């Protein structure tokens, strides 16, 4: 509403009629006594009784029909506030409060003062401190409203207003920026005309009336952060509520909520959400400042929260109840960073916050997720993704080092500061729980589950194809279809199976006698020193990069070393399997303690999983202990063939267990499936 329009409208209304204006608010809210030279009443507005806020769409009921409308499910709610097109004079919407008449320099006063000045000059009052959002709203265009009906039209003709006597105040005092001499003179004549329950504040030619006037005066009137009125009082579209606009905000009144000021910053968000006819309804209190910076304002349907730099966002209904239970903006969630956002699945809703999210549906209620787990869930599609809604708030594991959330589809997301946040699908979760979950040998997940591509690496020799795979701190889980689960894990229990003995001495004597220094069934160009695999063991940093050399296995000699011997004699077919064992945290001295190096071991297990009435259950049916013998010394020649520095893996084999081959050094075909990483 521009200044020119205000002047024209005011003059036109003065010229239109001659009856005295009626009180502003309806009879249900008492109007104040006529104000001439009166002291402002003490502030009482914040103690006014208010109705309970109507629930947002994340609630289950609404107390007022106006609150039943769904709040908008905007997908741009994290953007900064978008100012409405500027339609008012910026000088009038950002002007500082006027200098009160009592502070006008004495030398500017004329010899004869107008009676209207004597009748309306107010004593000095202590103004309320401006809430923090006032400064934040500077520069924002005033949210313009074109709805409502003017509830205090001028009903006197211009001729019926008292004439100014002496020098007009506009010629004796500086007119505050944004008001014209014509407006100031009209305001002075209006001050001279007593209007029951209303008051004019020079140089603004607009009446402030009823409970809105009470609130305005209690705040400090023109000396308050609201500054001067710049509109008449309007009746809102609901036909009940009232509003008056001031240079730095507005005061809204409703018989069930009382009169409360709203700053330009909060009005901008309120405008986006439909003013009082939207799901927010009317304000029920003034802005509440927070420390160190931020604030909130309560409305019938929700609360608005603001802080830098995230902006203003609304939280209501069941989500608001959950938010308050966590401590609100002073709790671990911090301030909201979105309004409530609609979800397709179950017609749910959620709000994001600085450090987490609250998700709601009628079936699951309001659930809180924090930072890393919220972020991983978001990557997976949140409520509309495969995990669905959370079934509980984020929880802390009994050991205090991890946090987790369970979801509708049976999956969970687990987080630790070391491993990060990773989901465990329901089928792998059943296997994980079989082996003690996070308290077992597997520990926490270190990567999400993946489905390997169909190629030679997702199955072992004579073993089943891997359909899903996930890594954990202490091992690996490989699924082969819906029934079979294969686990490679690090277990501290040794099996005391000795390192297989070789007949090196006998072969040495044979080669000397036969003058044969190369295995007769191995090609001469076979590169026994070639490095075919590597591993690093954080528990043995002095070993550095642990190497696996190709080596050989001779059937004629029934002997050999390296990867070839592990594959062709002990049936441990994949280099991955040897690498997995070398990374074990568990190891011991070699069977012959005079030999350098260590015996590393890991467990391979095979379980059968079935769906029961109590959920998916898995039971182990067989296991083997797998060994890798590592020698860190340099051997230029090893078993009559070129070696290296270090020689590395001497051999790898299977030992004890519960399978039919347990007790031999030959591995079952499924052992490679348990130890294989199909995504390498």
């Amino acid at each position: 509403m521009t200044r020119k329009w205000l002047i024209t409208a005011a003059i036109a209304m003065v010229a239109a009629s001659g009856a005295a204006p009626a009180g502003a608010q309806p009879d249900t809210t008492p109007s104040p006594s006529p104000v001439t030279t009166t002291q402002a009443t003490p502030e009482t507005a914040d103690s006014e009784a208010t109705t309970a806020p109507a629930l947002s769409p994340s609630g289950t009921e609404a107390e007022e029909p106006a609150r039943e409308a769904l709040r908008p499910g905007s997908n741009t709610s994290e953007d900064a506030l978008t100012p409405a097109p500027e339609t008012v004079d910026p000088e009038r919407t950002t002007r500082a409060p006027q200098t009160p008449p009592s502070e006008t320099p004495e030398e500017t006063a004329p010899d004869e003062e107008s009676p209207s000045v004597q009748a309306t000059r107010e004593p000095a009052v202590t103004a309320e401190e401006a809430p923090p959002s006032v400064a934040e709203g500077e520069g924002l265009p005033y949210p313009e409203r074109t709805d409502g009906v003017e509830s205090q039209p001028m009903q006197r003709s211009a001729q019926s207003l008292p004439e100014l006597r002496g020098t007009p105040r506009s010629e004796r005092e500086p007119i505050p920026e944004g008001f014209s001499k014509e407006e100031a003179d009209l305001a002075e004549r209006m001050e001279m005309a007593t209007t029951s329950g209303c008051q004019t504040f020079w140089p603004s030619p607009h009446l402030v009336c009823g409970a809105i006037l009470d609130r305005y005066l209690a705040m400090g009137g023109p000396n308050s952060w609201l500054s001067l009125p710049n509109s008449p009082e309007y009746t809102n579209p609901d036909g009940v509520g009232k509003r008056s606009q001031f240079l730095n905000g507005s005061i809204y009144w409703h018989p069930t909520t009382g009169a409360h000021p709203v700053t330009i910053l909060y009005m901008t968000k309120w405008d986006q959400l439909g003013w009082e006819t939207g799901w927010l309804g009317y304000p029920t209190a003034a802005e509440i400042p927070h420390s160190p910076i931020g604030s909130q304002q309560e409305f019938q349907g929700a609360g608005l929260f603001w802080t830098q730099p995230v902006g203003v966002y609304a939280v209501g209904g069941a989500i608001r109840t959950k938010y308050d239970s966590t401590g609100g903006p002073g709790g671990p969630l911090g301030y909201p960073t979105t309004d409530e956002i609609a979800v397709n699945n179950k017609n749910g809703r959620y709000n994001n916050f600085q450090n987490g999210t609250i998700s709601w549906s009628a079936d699951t209620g309001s659930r809180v997720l924090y930072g890393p787990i919220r972020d991983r869930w978001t990557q997976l599609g949140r409520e509309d993704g495969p995990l669905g809604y959370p079934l509980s708030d984020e929880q802390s594991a009994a050991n205090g080092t991890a946090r987790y959330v369970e979801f509708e589809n049976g999956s969970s997301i687990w987080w630790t500061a070391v491993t990060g946040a990773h989901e465990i699908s329901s089928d792998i979760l059943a296997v994980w729980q079989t082996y003690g979950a996070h308290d077992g040998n597997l520990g926490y997940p270190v990567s999400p589950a993946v489905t390997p591509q169909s190629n030679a690496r997702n199955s072992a020799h004579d073993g089943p194809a891997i359909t899903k795979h996930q890594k954990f701190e202490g091992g690996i889980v490989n699924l082969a279809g819906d029934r079979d689960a294969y686990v490679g894990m690090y277990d501290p229990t040794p099996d005391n199976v000795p390192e297989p003995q070789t007949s090196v001495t006998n072969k040495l004597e044979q080669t000397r006698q036969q003058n044969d220094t190369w295995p007769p069934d191995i090609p001469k160009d076979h590169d026994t020193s070639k490095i075919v695999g590597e591993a690093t063991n954080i528990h043995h940093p002095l070993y550095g990069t642990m190497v696996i050399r190709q080596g050989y296995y001779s059937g004629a000699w029934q002997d050999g070393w390296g990867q070839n011997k592990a594959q062709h004699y002990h049936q441990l077919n994949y280099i991955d399997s040897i690498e997995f064992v070398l990374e074990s945290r568990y190891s011991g001295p070699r069977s012959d303690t005079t030999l350098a190096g260590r015996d590393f071991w890991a467990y391979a297990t095979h379980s059968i999983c079935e769906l029961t009435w109590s959920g998916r259950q898995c039971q182990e049916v067989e296991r083997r202990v797998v060994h890798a013998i590592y020698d860190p010394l340099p051997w230029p020649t090893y078993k009559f063939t070129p070696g290296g520095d270090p020689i590395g893996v001497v051999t790898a084999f299977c030992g004890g267990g519960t399978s039919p081959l347990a007790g031999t050094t030959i591995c079952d075909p499924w052992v490679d499936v348990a130890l294989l990483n199909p995504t390498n």
Side-chain angles (χ1 to χ4, degrees), residues 46-112:
D46 284 339
S47 62
E48 293 171 354
T50 59
T51 59
L55 295 179
S56 72
S58 65
T60 56
E61 60 181 278
E63 297 183 3
E64 297 182 21
R67 304 291 79 76
E68 292 175 356
L70 288 179
R71 66 178 77 181
S74 170
N75 58 9
T76 61
S77 56
E78 294 195 49
D79 295 337
L81 292 176
T82 303
E86 184 166 349
T87 57
V88 296
D89 187 342
E91 294 181 352
R92 294 190 60 183
T93 58
T94 60
R95 201 189 78 244
Q98 70 168 18
T99 302
S102 60
E103 297 180 12
T104 303
E106 189 172 316
E107 58 269 25
T108 62
D111 293 335
E112 183 181 357

Side-chain angles (χ1 to χ4, degrees), residues 311-334:
V312 181
Y313 296 101
V315 186
I319 290 179
R320 173 64 186 279
T321 302
K322 176 65 74 172
Y323 182 45
D324 288 346
S325 73
T326 69
L333 284 171

Side-chain angles (χ1 to χ4, degrees), residues 6 10 35 37 92 112 126 131 213 263 280 312 318 325 353 420 441 605:
L6 291 171
V35 179
T37 307
R92 294 190 60 183
E112 183 181 357
T126 301
L213 175 62
T263 66
L280 283 181
V312 181
S325 73
F353 298 84
N441 292 325
T605 70

Side-chain angles (χ1 to χ4, degrees), residues 9 34 77 88 156 174 188 237 255 267 269 344 365 372 390 416-417 440 472 474 478 522 531 566 581 624 648 654 666:
S77 56
V88 296
R156 289 190 178 186
E188 188 171 1
M267 286 169 64
K269 170 57 71 172
N344 292 327
T416 72
F472 292 80
N478 286 319
I522 303 298
I531 296 176
V581 178
R624 293 298 301 275
C654 287
I666 308 302

Side-chain angles (χ1 to χ4, degrees), residues 331-335 337 352-357 368-372 374 394:
L333 284 171
Y335 283 85
T337 59
N352 276 335
F353 298 84
Q354 288 174 303
N355 303 312
T357 192
V368 179
L369 285 71
Y370 295 100
R374 182 272 308 268
E394 186 172 310

Side-chain angles (χ1 to χ4, degrees), residues 499-507 558-560 565 639 650:
E499 178 183 339
Q501 297 298 312
T502 63
S503 53
V504 173
T505 302
N506 292 336
K507 292 295 179 289
Q558 297 184 12
D559 204 356
K565 183 181 180 183
K639 293 191 176 181
V650 173

